[in-house]
């Protein structure tokens, strides 16, 4: 089953320079020179070939998995817009999930808004890899120049207005 995982993790905009996607799993070394690694997998649902979130884990090469957290797509609003637009009712197979079946030319996770997931991953990694997010984050380009708002007309201090 081809999930287009590299594209999904690119969409998340994770800032770690030392990373790789192997199969459907994202691996990163958020803090170079330390043994702890970050692993992110897709979580399966009770339905075949359907995924309901991400599982983020901290892994040590000798001790194995140290900690993990499940981040559901529903809890982080990943498919809220898509499901609302298509009138997908809650508690159905399609609600807040994606599967391996999708429209040709579109990723299986089409319609995902990954901001909530990215924020949750940032909070989680801040606990295990303090400062790694800021140290790895690329410098953001300056956005559009803000419009200048004209100053309100000045009224002489001693003048009365009605």
């Amino acid at each position: 089953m081809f999930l287009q995982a590299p594209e999904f993790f690119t969409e998340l905009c994770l800032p770690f320079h030392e990373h790789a996607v192997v199969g459907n799993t994202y691996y990163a070394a958020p803090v170079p020179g330390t043994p702890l690694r970050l692993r992110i997998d897709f979580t399966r649902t009770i339905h075949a070939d359907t995924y309901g979130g991400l599982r983020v884990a901290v892994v040590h090469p000798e001790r194995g998995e140290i900690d993990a957290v499940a981040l559901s797509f529903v809890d982080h609003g990943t498919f809220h817009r898509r499901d609302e637009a298509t009138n997908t009712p809650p508690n159905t197979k399609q609600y807040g999930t994606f599967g391996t079946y999708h429209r040709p030319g579109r990723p299986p996770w089409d319609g995902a808004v990954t901001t909530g997931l990215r924020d949750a991953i940032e909070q989680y990694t801040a606990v295990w890899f303090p400062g790694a997010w800021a140290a790895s984050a690329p410098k953001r380009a300056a956005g559009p120049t803000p419009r200048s708002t004209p100053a309100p007309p000045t009224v002489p201090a001693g003048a009365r207005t009605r």
Side-chain angles (χ1 to χ4, degrees):
M1 68 199 106
F2 186 61
L3 298 180
Q4 297 180 356
E7 292 86 351
F8 182 86
F9 292 118
T10 298
E11 183 84 15
L12 275 175
C13 297
L14 300 176
F16 310 118
H17 298 296
E18 294 184 31
H19 72 275
V21 178
V22 179
N24 294 325
T25 304
Y26 176 92
Y27 296 94
V31 180
T34 64
L36 294 181
R37 300 291 181 258
L38 182 69
R39 181 182 68 215
I40 304 174
D41 298 299
F42 292 98
T43 58
R44 296 173 186 258
T45 66
I46 61 170
H47 303 283
D49 299 327
T50 304
Y51 300 87
L54 297 177
R55 186 172 188 279
V56 183
V58 175
V59 180
H60 187 278
E62 295 171 4
R63 297 183 194 148
E65 189 174 286
I66 295 176
D67 189 61
V69 64
L71 306 174
S72 80
F73 294 144
V74 171
D75 291 345
H76 295 90
T78 307
F79 294 106
H80 178 75
R81 285 188 198 160
R82 179 204 68 187
D83 292 343
E84 197 172 72
T86 59
N87 293 319
T88 304
N91 300 321
T92 61
K93 176 183 174 181
Q94 295 81 17
Y95 186 78
T97 66
F98 77 88
T100 55
Y101 304 105
H102 53 88
R103 291 183 294 176
R106 307 296 296 173
W109 39 267
D110 190 30
V113 176
T114 59
T115 308
L117 286 173
R118 185 178 192 276
D119 291 346
I121 293 168
E122 180 178 6
Q123 291 173 357
Y124 182 77
T125 56
V127 172
W128 287 98
F129 308 100
W133 197 273
S136 299
K139 303 295 182 225
R140 291 188 178 190
T145 307
R147 293 185 312 178
S148 59
T149 307
T154 57
V155 177
R160 288 186 164 178
T161 60
R162 288 188 198 199

